Amino acid sequence: GAVVSQHPSWVICKSGTSVKIECRSLDFQATTMFWYRQFPKQSLMLMATSNEGSKATYEQGVEKDKFLINHASLTLSTLTVTSAHPEDSSFYICSARDGGTYGYTFGSGTRLTVV
Amino acid sequence: AQSVTQPDIHITVSEGASLELRCNYSYGATPYLFWYVQSPGQGLQLLLKYFSGDTLVQGIKGFEAEFKRSQSSFNLRKPSVHWSDAAEYFCAVGETNRDDKIIFGKGTRLHILP
């Protein structure tokens, strides 16, 4: 079945630094990728939608200059948390949509801790 | 815009008992509906999905869900739960527009009693 690889699975960084999270579709071409954020014991909140080769569409309230999304190819999207602060600590999950089957596959998530 | 409501934050059932997790959605057109399961600290695993056709959908791990348009519901069921079913369950609805994003409910935490 479809597999989405997300790296790193966890990362600890210092306040003020930037962190990049990668999301790769391993055996299908992902026409659209989605980035979610999940606080402890809460649901997934959609942050942005990215289509290959175009700018990401951010949900209301999400700072596009802080959460940079790049979808340079049909198999790779990256989320960069710039100038991270402790309040950015969260679980980030990507999802890739297979344009051929309308299937959504999720990555295993990245636990970001900003100290 | 679409929305998803999971009215039960926690559900506790005994091992071997039947299970039903409720999900109601709000969407103007025919929705795409999903149920996902998440274990602590893990990503999401798709249990089943409904796009069209037969309103009773069979999924993995013995789960099934029934789409009822008149009630705007997509409840998840399992006839006999196992201790390994303890997890967080999310219902989600997909938009059938250009972005095709999916929106999640708040989730239901399932606890299993031995």
Side-chain angles (χ1 to χ4, degrees):
Chain A
V3 177
V4 170
S5 175
Q6 184 174 343
H7 291 282
S9 56
W10 61 269
V11 57
I12 301 174
C13 71
K14 291 185 177 181
S15 186
T17 61
S18 295
V19 174
K20 179 182 286 189
I21 303 170
E22 289 190 352
C23 181
R24 292 180 183 274
S25 58
L26 297 186
D27 50 4
F28 67 98
Q29 292 186 328
T31 55
T32 307
M33 288 188 173
F34 306 87
W35 288 94
Y36 293 84
R37 181 175 183 175
Q38 185 180 33
F39 291 103
K41 299 184 179 181
Q42 294 190 28
S43 186
L44 284 76
M45 300 302 296
L46 180 65
M47 298 174 66
T49 302
S50 70
N51 293 291
E52 184 263 338
S54 61
K55 290 185 178 180
T57 302
Y58 290 81
E59 295 298 302
Q60 189 173 6
V62 177
E63 299 176 64
K64 59 182 66 176
D65 293 331
K66 177 171 215 23
F67 299 100
L68 301 179
I69 292 172
N70 184 279
H71 193 159
S73 75
L74 283 172
T75 59
L76 174 65
S77 177
T78 60
L79 168 68
T80 301
V81 183
T82 62
S83 186
H85 290 283
E87 57 266 29
D88 299 323
S89 298
S90 190
F91 193 57
Y92 294 87
I93 305 178
C94 71
S95 173
R97 181 197 163 199
D98 184 335
T101 67
Y102 203 93
Y104 291 90
T105 303
F106 283 79
S108 56
T110 298
R111 172 72 60 193
L112 170 63
T113 302
V114 184
V115 297
Chain B
Q2 79 277 41
S3 65
V4 182
T5 301
Q6 291 180 251
D8 303 306
I9 298 174
H10 295 274
I11 290 279
T12 301
V13 298
S14 298
E15 189 169 17
S18 63
L19 170 71
E20 182 170 35
L21 301 182
R22 296 184 291 167
C23 174
N24 292 97
Y25 68 89
S26 173
Y27 187 56
T30 299
Y32 295 163
L33 296 162
F34 309 83
W35 274 100
Y36 287 89
V37 61
Q38 184 183 35
S39 296
Q42 301 295 314
L44 275 73
Q45 182 180 25
L46 178 66
L47 290 176
L48 46 80
K49 61 188 177 186
Y50 170 80
F51 289 165
S52 64
D54 193 346
T55 56
L56 184 62
V57 181
Q58 300 298 321
I60 62 172
K61 302 184 179 184
F63 286 94
E64 67 177 25
E66 186 171 11
F67 170 57
K68 292 185 177 180
R69 184 188 299 275
S70 61
Q71 299 177 19
S72 298
S73 69
F74 189 57
N75 294 348
L76 181 72
R77 300 193 294 250
K78 186 170 184 177
S80 176
V81 297
H82 187 262
W83 63 266
S84 60
D85 293 325
E88 188 85 21
Y89 291 79
F90 293 99
C91 180
V93 60
E95 282 191 345
T96 55
N97 64 11
R98 182 178 63 85
D99 283 340
D100 291 324
K101 60 187 178 184
I102 59 175
I103 302 299
F104 287 82
K106 292 186 180 299
T108 297
R109 169 71 63 179
L110 175 62
H111 305 273
I112 306 294
L113 296 176

